[in-house]
Amino acid sequence: MEAGVGLALQSRATGFGSGRRRSAMYGGESRARAVSLRVSDLVGSPAAVRARGAKPVVPLRAKKSSGGGHENLHNSVDDALLLKRKSEEVLFQLNGRCIYLVGMMGSGKSTVGKILAEVLGYSFFDSDKLVEQAVGMPSVAQIFKVHSEAFFRDNESSVLRDLSSMRRLVVATGGGAVIRPVNWKNMKKGLSVWLDVPLEALARRIAKVGTASRPLLDQPSGDPYTMAFSKLSMLAEQRGDAYANADVRVSLEEIASKLGHDDVSKLTPIDIALESLHKIESFVVEDTAVADSQTESQSQRMHTL
């Protein structure tokens, strides 16, 4: 599996939409045990992963769309430059820490994760894909069918444990990875980012592409949107508090409001990636300030003893 992502950022990148662009607002056994897995067996040694992740970033490119003319092309180039500049600032502050994207299925974790990995010079991994490779099955749906959800979760935890020993990675996690405390223990070795998407938008997107690849949503009959929204609502109720454990929350509704959009479907993956970098930067700066303050307080107490 090639870890490096050769993704060119384009004005018509796939994701939630490609609406009007922004103004310059930013300056084994099925249940008994998991398959024995070492991520290094699938992707190479940690040193090799770090070496691939540190390679020069592929130059950002914007592709002119047929209907947008020169204005759309200009806006796309501007956004790509903003993203690249912000990534250079954040990269230094991250100091090699991994980024784990969490959120509901269909929230765009893989799409946004690949963009973040490219501009940061990190390697990108999808934890679901790694589990599929480890188990030797073509899809998560097949793993659920042949084994069980518990079997999948055990392997998912093994994957996240092994990835947590590495550096300079962007990892798109499965929607249910947040339900196990052990996964949070491993993800907290890096920095976690919650992509918070309105359920209506998720249901529309999932209903459009189908649920066959999403075993927890697949239903034999009924209106696709209604069925997807109902199941997503139940999952959100179960997992909402768990997602809130993330270090950073990126709300698509907030981004849309800032950009003057009335619908999150008008946001592009670049919009979301740029907001993610701003939120990551704010968290790291605040976290560093708190750590420095605690160190200073401890030093003062030592002097008074």
Side-chain angles (χ1 to χ4, degrees):
M1 175 177 175
E2 176 58 42
V5 178
L7 179 71
L9 302 185
Q10 301 174 351
S11 63
R12 298 184 66 184
T14 57
F16 283 94
S18 57
R20 182 172 54 85
R21 303 298 306 166
R22 73 176 68 233
S23 60
M25 63 173 290
Y26 293 118
E29 293 172 326
S30 63
R31 296 185 64 87
R33 60 187 177 83
V35 170
S36 176
L37 167 70
R38 289 189 304 166
V39 170
S40 59
D41 293 337
L42 300 175
V43 302
S45 67
V49 171
R50 287 194 295 271
R52 289 200 299 271
K55 69 181 182 180
V57 176
V58 177
L60 303 181
R61 301 191 298 274
K63 183 181 292 185
K64 180 179 177 179
S65 62
S66 58
H70 294 288
E71 182 178 357
N72 279 352
L73 176 62
H74 176 73
N75 288 337
S76 297
V77 172
D78 284 349
D79 287 344
L81 288 174
L82 283 171
L83 188 65
K84 184 65 176 69
R85 289 168 183 164
K86 179 52 63 177
S87 71
E88 291 170 349
E89 298 171 3
V90 174
L91 180 62
F92 174 78
Q93 296 165 332
L94 281 172
N95 193 30
R97 276 187 284 183
C98 294
I99 296 173
Y100 297 89
L101 298 177
V102 303
M104 293 284 282
M105 59 188 79
S107 59
K109 299 184 293 291
S110 292
T111 301
V112 174
K114 290 175 182 178
I115 293 174
L116 291 175
E118 180 182 332
V119 297
L120 291 170
Y122 274 31
S123 294
F124 171 79
F125 292 110
D126 182 319
S127 65
D128 283 354
K129 298 298 182 185
L130 289 177
V131 172
E132 291 167 3
Q133 290 183 49
V135 176
M137 290 189 173
S139 68
V140 173
Q142 187 73 6
I143 297 172
F144 272 53
K145 182 179 180 179
V146 174
H147 296 286
S148 66
E149 180 179 356
F151 177 85
F152 172 81
R153 297 297 174 203
D154 289 342
N155 281 277
E156 179 179 58
S157 294
S158 295
V159 163
L160 292 173
R161 180 196 64 217
D162 289 354
L163 289 175
S164 72
S165 68
M166 303 180 187
R167 290 170 62 80
R168 297 177 62 85
L169 305 180
V170 176
V171 180
T173 67
V178 297
I179 64 178
R180 288 194 171 186
V182 67
N183 293 341
W184 281 112
K185 178 182 177 181
N186 289 317
M187 289 191 290
K188 287 298 184 180
K189 296 176 183 177
L191 191 150
S192 52
V193 178
W194 172 23
L195 299 186
D196 186 8
V197 184
L199 296 183
E200 295 85 353
L202 287 177
R204 285 197 301 269
R205 187 180 187 207
I206 291 172
K208 182 178 180 180
V209 302
T211 60
S213 64
R214 305 182 186 279
L216 292 181
L217 292 185
D218 199 23
Q219 300 290 338
S221 62
D223 175 65
Y225 172 82
T226 302
M227 299 300 290
F229 182 79
S230 176
K231 186 63 175 180
L232 286 168
S233 298
M234 184 180 71
L235 291 173
E237 182 71 21
Q238 295 171 352
R239 301 172 180 175
D241 291 341
Y243 288 133
N245 285 325
D247 298 313
V248 170
R249 173 177 173 262
V250 176
S251 167
L252 269 65
E253 286 186 318
E254 291 180 3
I255 304 173
S257 177
K258 290 178 182 178
L259 297 178
H261 296 316
D262 57 1
D263 190 337
V264 299
S265 67
K266 295 179 180 179
L267 298 175
T268 68
I270 294 180
D271 294 329
I272 301 166
L274 184 56
E275 179 71 4
S276 298
L277 288 175
H278 278 277
K279 290 293 184 72
I280 289 171
E281 181 181 42
S282 296
F283 172 80
V284 173
V285 169
E286 181 178 350
D287 190 52
T288 301
V290 170
D292 290 345
S293 177
Q294 291 175 343
T295 300
E296 182 178 353
S297 297
Q298 185 177 19
S299 176
Q300 291 175 349
R301 286 197 299 270
M302 292 293 291
H303 283 302
T304 58
L305 293 179

